[in-house]
Amino acid sequence: MRPDPTGRRSALAALLVLGAAVAVVVAVTTPWDPLGVDVPGGRAPVGPDGDFTAAEVARADAYRGAVRPPSWLSLGAGLLTALVLGLTPLGGRLVAAAARPLGGGRRARLLAGGAGVVVVTRLASLPFDARAEQVAMRAGLSTRDWPGWLLDVGRGLALDLVLLLLALGALQAMARRWPRRWWAPAAGAGAALVVAVSFAYPLVVEPLYNRFTPLPEGRLRSDLLALAERDGVPVADVLVADASRRTSTLNAYVSGFGATKRIVVYDTLLERAPPEQVESVVAHELGHAEEQDVLHGTLVGALGVAAGVCALALALGSPRLLRRAGASGAGDPRSTALALAVVAVLTTAAGPVQLLVSRQVEERADLHALELTRDPLSLAELQRRLALTSRSDLTPHPLVEALFASHPSAPERIARARDWARATTLPGRGPAVPPPGPLAPGG
């Protein structure tokens, strides 16, 4: 099947429109300055000095220095393998070889061949992921043993395979049914898949990794439910996740939509943080729910995936790329490796933008927590505790932050809490100047 230039031009036009729509939505809806007010005396400087000791900074730097190289290598190995398989005949040969024991037919090439490409790509990065896990184990951040880690890797790979093979099967079927305009229904189906996965994740995926039990009746449970009610966020339950089976890090989150919405607290957080800091974490997560960040991210993601499908159509309609891959068109199972290579490039390129938006959204959630709890000191102490527990990077390089950081650094979050305290007046108390400690101005 020869590529259709008219179809490619239509896909390009759709890509430009959808890409512009994504850019406008992100630019308009991202909270670029969540604080949004002037701070008396100017905003606090960002840095670990005064909030973390030199020994704590050195400890974090040592851990990050050990875990960062395998993280970079894992990212590079996965991307390079995807490109080699997608831009050379090796991908097509792998598809044919994997399908041969099953008869070599179209369905076998889709299922076995697609699985083969995904598995080989994953195996290329696995040794570096194992090295990063070893560093985390030695630092006490990962509490899994090696069988437990491999089980989690297997679960993640199985989930990826199901989603990717469903998507590839639908794409190739549409390309055979509508050779000139397959990208249009595929873009709609891709967007719908993003929405479906987002809604199903709390009910289907989360239970694969953790067991959840109701938080026992008591003051903390009552306080968390009251916090949600005061915030106008209805939640069905407060659950405890047995995260200590995998990690020593502290966290909580609000998941689900509508009647399935619940507060989930890590057992590690309950064990190691005082109640007021647990409330601060939950207040932050309620901020995400109040702003409907998950729903917003899902819809923007759906729009982005639709644009990505149009970009994929351009690649799968390129005679030069198809010749390199040894495929005849988008409906040919031999194009599987090329399609996955394009997806790898697109997700890698979109990553820094997604992380930039995420950091701004997280800052807004911090400020929401401050408005809800009116307790800047607890939030600052919480950020210090989280940073030390996770050995977070306290002096992140801008490039590392752009490529890996979904949250602002702990010093930045403490500085923003300090700014909020200096810019806010609490009823009956005058300016919200905190007592000496992590939030003390200049301290």
Side-chain angles (χ1 to χ4, degrees):
M1 183 185 303
R2 297 182 62 186
D4 177 41
T6 304
R8 291 189 74 209
R9 285 195 293 269
S10 299
L12 176 59
L15 172 61
L16 294 175
V17 171
L18 289 170
V22 172
V24 169
V25 170
V26 168
V28 171
T29 63
T30 299
W32 299 112
D33 183 16
L35 184 59
V37 296
D38 292 330
V39 179
R43 298 199 175 188
V46 175
D49 295 344
D51 296 314
F52 298 90
T53 67
E56 289 166 344
V57 173
R59 182 169 172 263
D61 286 347
Y63 172 72
R64 294 296 159 183
V67 80
R68 193 169 293 138
S71 299
W72 281 94
L73 290 170
S74 174
L75 179 66
L79 181 59
L80 180 61
T81 303
L83 290 174
V84 169
L85 292 177
L87 299 180
T88 72
L90 288 176
R93 293 171 187 167
L94 176 58
V95 167
R100 196 170 296 122
L102 301 179
R106 184 182 296 277
R107 184 172 298 179
R109 283 181 287 166
L110 168 64
L111 297 178
V117 173
V118 172
V119 169
V120 168
T121 304
R122 183 70 184 89
L123 288 175
S125 61
L126 194 63
F128 307 110
D129 293 339
R131 172 56 183 164
E133 177 70 8
Q134 183 181 48
V135 173
M137 286 179 177
R138 290 177 177 175
L141 297 183
S142 174
T143 58
R144 296 176 292 192
D145 55 16
W146 285 112
W149 178 75
L150 287 172
L151 181 60
D152 282 348
V153 170
R155 287 189 181 117
L157 179 59
L159 184 62
D160 288 345
L161 281 172
V162 169
L163 293 175
L164 284 171
L165 292 179
L166 282 174
L168 285 170
L171 183 152
Q172 292 177 11
M174 291 177 189
R176 292 193 300 273
R177 177 67 179 82
W178 301 290
R180 294 186 177 184
R181 297 288 187 272
W182 65 264
W183 53 268
L193 181 62
V194 170
V195 175
V197 169
S198 181
F199 276 80
Y201 190 92
L203 301 176
V204 178
V205 179
E206 287 178 7
L208 295 177
Y209 292 93
N210 289 107
R211 290 191 294 268
F212 301 92
T213 56
L215 181 67
E217 296 291 339
R219 181 174 179 179
L220 180 58
R221 178 185 175 88
S222 299
D223 287 348
L224 294 181
L225 289 173
L227 193 69
E229 183 177 3
R230 190 164 76 245
D231 202 25
V233 179
V235 296
D237 204 354
V238 181
L239 303 179
V240 180
D242 60 342
S244 57
R245 294 191 301 123
R246 290 181 172 80
T247 181
S248 62
T249 56
L250 318 178
N251 201 7
Y253 58 93
V254 176
S255 76
F257 296 90
T260 69
K261 192 171 292 181
R262 66 267 182 96
I263 297 171
V264 179
V265 184
Y266 279 19
D267 56 355
T268 51
L269 181 66
L270 295 176
E271 292 166 4
R272 302 180 64 176
E276 59 271 16
Q277 293 183 20
V278 175
E279 290 187 29
S280 188
V281 176
V282 171
H284 169 101
E285 298 303 327
L286 288 171
H288 288 308
E290 173 73 16
E291 296 289 342
Q292 299 190 56
D293 289 334
V294 173
L295 179 59
H296 177 266
T298 297
L299 297 178
V300 173
L303 195 60
V305 165
V309 170
C310 296
L312 183 62
L314 294 178
L316 296 182
S318 167
R320 179 178 299 178
L321 292 180
L322 289 172
R323 281 197 301 272
R324 283 180 169 273
S328 61
D332 184 349
R334 291 174 297 178
S335 69
T336 293
L338 175 58
L340 293 178
V342 174
V343 170
V345 170
L346 291 176
T347 53
T348 301
V353 177
Q354 293 173 324
L355 292 173
L356 172 61
V357 172
S358 174
R359 290 193 295 274
Q360 299 303 122
V361 169
E362 295 297 335
E363 183 179 333
R364 179 174 64 188
D366 277 352
L367 294 170
H368 181 93
L370 290 168
E371 294 289 345
L372 185 58
T373 64
R374 317 300 278 179
D375 188 0
L377 185 58
S378 289
L379 187 138
E381 291 174 341
L382 168 69
Q383 295 306 326
R384 173 177 161 79
R385 183 186 298 274
L386 293 175
L388 295 179
T389 301
S390 303
R391 300 201 188 183
S392 301
D393 195 343
L394 301 176
T395 55
H397 188 279
L399 179 59
V400 172
E401 187 174 49
L403 291 176
F404 293 105
S406 61
H407 290 61
S409 68
E412 184 174 358
R413 299 175 82 171
I414 292 173
R416 295 294 80 80
R418 182 178 289 125
D419 291 338
W420 180 90
R422 294 167 60 198
T424 303
T425 298
L426 299 182
R429 289 175 49 186
V433 179
L439 261 188

